[in-house]
CSV table of all heavy atoms in Angstrom, one decimal:
chain,number,residue,atom,x,y,z
A,51,LEU,N,119.4,104.3,94.3
A,51,LEU,CA,118.3,105.1,93.8
A,51,LEU,C,117.9,106.2,94.9
A,51,LEU,O,117.9,105.9,96.0
A,51,LEU,CB,117.1,104.2,93.5
A,51,LEU,CG,117.4,103.0,92.6
A,51,LEU,CD1,116.3,102.0,92.6
A,51,LEU,CD2,117.6,103.5,91.1
A,55,TRP,N,109.7,105.9,95.9
A,55,TRP,CA,109.0,104.6,95.7
A,55,TRP,C,109.8,103.4,95.9
A,55,TRP,O,109.4,102.5,96.7
A,55,TRP,CB,108.3,104.7,94.3
A,55,TRP,CG,107.7,103.4,93.9
A,55,TRP,CD1,108.1,102.6,92.9
A,55,TRP,CD2,106.6,102.7,94.5
A,55,TRP,NE1,107.3,101.5,92.8
A,55,TRP,CE2,106.3,101.5,93.8
A,55,TRP,CE3,105.7,103.0,95.6
A,55,TRP,CZ2,105.3,100.6,94.1
A,55,TRP,CZ3,104.7,102.1,95.9
A,55,TRP,CH2,104.5,100.9,95.2
A,77,GLN,N,113.6,93.1,93.9
A,77,GLN,CA,113.9,93.2,92.5
A,77,GLN,C,112.7,92.7,91.7
A,77,GLN,O,112.4,93.3,90.7
A,77,GLN,CB,115.2,92.3,92.2
A,77,GLN,CG,116.4,93.0,92.5
A,77,GLN,CD,117.7,92.2,92.6
A,77,GLN,OE1,117.6,91.0,93.0
A,77,GLN,NE2,118.8,92.8,92.4
A,89,MET,N,101.8,100.1,90.0
A,89,MET,CA,101.1,99.1,90.9
A,89,MET,C,99.6,99.5,91.0
A,89,MET,O,98.8,98.6,91.1
A,89,MET,CB,101.7,99.2,92.3
A,89,MET,CG,101.1,98.2,93.3
A,89,MET,SD,101.9,98.1,94.9
A,89,MET,CE,103.3,97.1,94.5
A,110,ALA,N,101.5,93.2,101.6
A,110,ALA,CA,101.3,93.3,100.1
A,110,ALA,C,99.9,94.0,99.8
A,110,ALA,O,99.8,94.8,99.0
A,110,ALA,CB,101.4,92.0,99.5
A,112,ARG,N,98.2,95.9,101.8
A,112,ARG,CA,98.2,97.3,102.2
A,112,ARG,C,99.0,98.2,101.2
A,112,ARG,O,98.7,99.3,101.0
A,112,ARG,CB,98.7,97.5,103.7
A,112,ARG,CG,97.6,97.0,104.7
A,112,ARG,CD,97.9,97.6,106.0
A,112,ARG,NE,99.1,97.0,106.6
A,112,ARG,CZ,99.2,96.1,107.5
A,112,ARG,NH1,98.0,95.6,107.9
A,112,ARG,NH2,100.3,95.6,107.9
A,227,PRO,N,132.7,101.0,115.3
A,227,PRO,CA,133.2,102.4,115.2
A,227,PRO,C,132.7,103.3,116.4
A,227,PRO,O,133.2,104.4,116.5
A,227,PRO,CB,132.5,102.9,113.9
A,227,PRO,CG,131.3,102.1,113.7
A,227,PRO,CD,131.7,100.7,114.2
A,266,PRO,N,95.1,70.6,92.3
A,266,PRO,CA,94.3,70.6,93.5
A,266,PRO,C,93.2,71.6,93.4
A,266,PRO,O,93.2,72.6,92.6
A,266,PRO,CB,95.4,71.1,94.5
A,266,PRO,CG,96.3,72.0,93.7
A,266,PRO,CD,96.3,71.3,92.3
A,302,HIS,N,104.3,74.7,110.4
A,302,HIS,CA,104.8,76.0,109.8
A,302,HIS,C,104.7,77.1,110.9
A,302,HIS,O,103.7,77.2,111.6
A,302,HIS,CB,103.9,76.3,108.6
A,302,HIS,CG,104.4,77.5,107.8
A,302,HIS,ND1,105.6,77.4,107.0
A,302,HIS,CD2,104.0,78.7,107.7
A,302,HIS,CE1,105.8,78.5,106.5
A,302,HIS,NE2,104.8,79.4,106.8
A,314,TRP,N,94.6,65.6,104.6
A,314,TRP,CA,94.0,64.4,103.9
A,314,TRP,C,93.9,64.7,102.4
A,314,TRP,O,93.9,65.9,102.1
A,314,TRP,CB,92.6,64.1,104.5
A,314,TRP,CG,92.6,63.5,105.8
A,314,TRP,CD1,92.5,62.1,106.1
A,314,TRP,CD2,92.7,64.1,107.1
A,314,TRP,NE1,92.5,61.9,107.5
A,314,TRP,CE2,92.6,63.1,108.1
A,314,TRP,CE3,92.8,65.5,107.5
A,314,TRP,CZ2,92.6,63.4,109.5
A,314,TRP,CZ3,92.9,65.7,108.9
A,314,TRP,CH2,92.8,64.7,109.8
A,318,ALA,N,88.8,65.6,93.4
A,318,ALA,CA,88.1,66.8,92.9
A,318,ALA,C,87.6,66.6,91.5
A,318,ALA,O,88.2,65.8,90.8
A,318,ALA,CB,89.1,68.0,93.0
Side-chain angles (χ1 to χ4, degrees):
L51 307 165
W55 170 245
Q77 279 164 332
M89 183 173 282
R112 285 199 293 260
H302 189 71
W314 285 262

